[in-house]
Amino acid sequence: SDCTVKRPYLLERAGFDITDPSRISVCIFAIPYLPPAADAPDRNLSSYAVCEDYHVFVRELAQALIPALQADFQSNRFALFADHSPIDEVKAAIDAGLGVRGKNRLLLTERYSSYVFLAELVTDLSLTPTPSPLPPELRVCHACGKCTSACPMSAEGGECRSALTQKKSPLAPDEQHTLAHFSRVWGCDICQEVCPYTARARARGTIYSPIPFFHQNVLPHLTVERLDGMNDEQFSRRAYAWRGRDTIRRNLEYHEHHTRFGKEN
């Protein structure tokens, strides 16, 4: 991908010479993550949190990939980024032809819909960019509006309910009520589930990840008991670990209280 470096300090930390950004090449990856376990009827986590944290996958990939590349290209530098990236990952993936931008701001791919994580290999090895086969005006979805129509927060002008599940500060009474009545204790997924790209990928049978990592240690339904049963190492490998145990436990307690006593309250 031929893309603009937005956070050069990340490249500088990785040892790159950033005086000439044109010498930086990027290989962008769309990594499918959806496991069949995400279809569990009692799932209460966003689909990306059913498997272990993709940051763990990227870290383990880097540990295998970077030394192998370094052995073959000893005079060049390589670094693997995901999420906290020196570039706009979605734009780079679109420019490289991996998919289009949805109204939900996610990358939509034909094979896996939006159930992909983005990562990129950055190098000072000279590579020829692979341009997108689509002109700029077609690098967006058809804007059918299903994602925005289905989103319970778009009509209210609020942010995604996923942000509410990640909120660390005390919740206002209306936020507590929303969280208690929501089917997720972490994340959301509504805009992904109603997307036509998702329907097509499911119909073709391509939507699930072929990568073994995302099929191991899956946990679609989290409870306080299961949370407390995780040791620190196990917890650190879950997507919600960065917010700490207290935040996810609070969400579970609101939800479980409503499930038990909702009819009386």
Side-chain angles (χ1 to χ4, degrees):
S1 173
D2 183 13
C3 53
T4 302
V5 175
K6 292 187 174 254
R7 301 181 184 90
Y9 67 90
L10 292 176
L11 295 179
E12 195 170 25
R13 286 179 188 173
F16 286 91
D17 178 4
I18 60 172
T19 56
D20 184 7
S22 66
R23 294 183 57 194
I24 302 298
S25 296
V26 176
C27 297
I28 187 84
F29 304 100
I31 303 169
Y33 65 81
L34 191 71
D39 293 338
D42 64 344
R43 174 169 64 90
N44 62 357
L45 298 167
S46 180
S47 53
Y48 80 91
V50 169
C51 50
E52 291 190 324
D53 189 0
Y54 78 100
H55 292 91
V56 176
F57 171 79
V58 172
R59 184 167 64 246
E60 293 176 353
L61 177 62
Q63 290 170 352
L65 182 61
I66 302 300
L69 289 170
Q70 206 68 69
D72 288 339
F73 303 95
Q74 298 181 15
S75 61
N76 295 102
R77 185 169 293 278
F78 302 89
L80 197 62
F81 294 93
D83 197 14
H84 191 46
S85 167
I87 64 170
D88 182 335
E89 293 180 313
V90 174
K91 183 179 184 303
I94 294 168
D95 290 346
L98 294 182
V100 301
R101 187 186 298 274
K103 282 201 75 173
N104 56 7
R105 295 177 292 181
L106 300 175
L107 178 74
L108 306 179
T109 72
E110 285 292 340
R111 190 172 181 83
Y112 304 107
S113 187
S114 54
Y115 295 96
V116 294
F117 295 124
L118 298 180
E120 58 280 346
L121 177 73
V122 180
T123 178
D124 55 8
L125 183 67
S126 180
L127 300 174
T128 302
T130 303
S132 171
L134 296 175
E137 64 270 17
L138 295 181
R139 296 180 192 178
V140 295
C141 70
H142 297 304
C144 68
K146 287 188 176 182
C147 58
T148 52
S149 296
C151 176
M153 302 306 289
S154 61
E156 302 172 16
E159 57 185 348
C160 177
R161 281 186 176 174
S162 179
L164 177 60
T165 67
Q166 298 174 28
K167 188 174 180 179
K168 200 167 186 176
S169 56
L171 300 180
D174 62 321
E175 292 175 323
Q176 295 176 23
H177 181 270
T178 297
L179 192 57
H181 289 75
F182 190 36
S183 61
R184 302 281 186 265
V185 297
W186 183 264
C188 184
D189 280 355
I190 292 174
C191 65
Q192 299 189 85
E193 292 167 349
V194 301
C195 179
Y197 276 78
T198 296
R200 291 200 296 268
R202 285 193 179 279
R204 285 194 300 265
T206 62
I207 198 165
Y208 297 121
S209 175
I211 303 173
F213 175 91
F214 297 108
H215 295 257
Q216 300 165 358
N217 301 319
V218 292
L219 180 58
H221 184 81
L222 185 64
T223 63
V224 171
E225 183 180 7
R226 286 175 174 170
L227 176 67
D228 291 342
M230 295 182 194
N231 60 38
D232 289 344
E233 169 61 22
Q234 291 169 331
F235 180 70
S236 71
R237 296 177 67 90
R238 311 313 300 197
Y240 34 84
W242 68 278
R243 263 309 187 200
R245 290 182 188 262
D246 290 345
T247 299
I248 189 71
R249 182 184 286 107
R250 174 204 64 194
N251 298 349
L252 284 163
E253 289 173 347
Y254 280 138
H255 191 264
E256 291 182 5
H257 182 273
H258 172 70
T259 300
R260 292 179 185 176
F261 308 110
K263 291 182 180 180
E264 301 174 12
N265 294 287

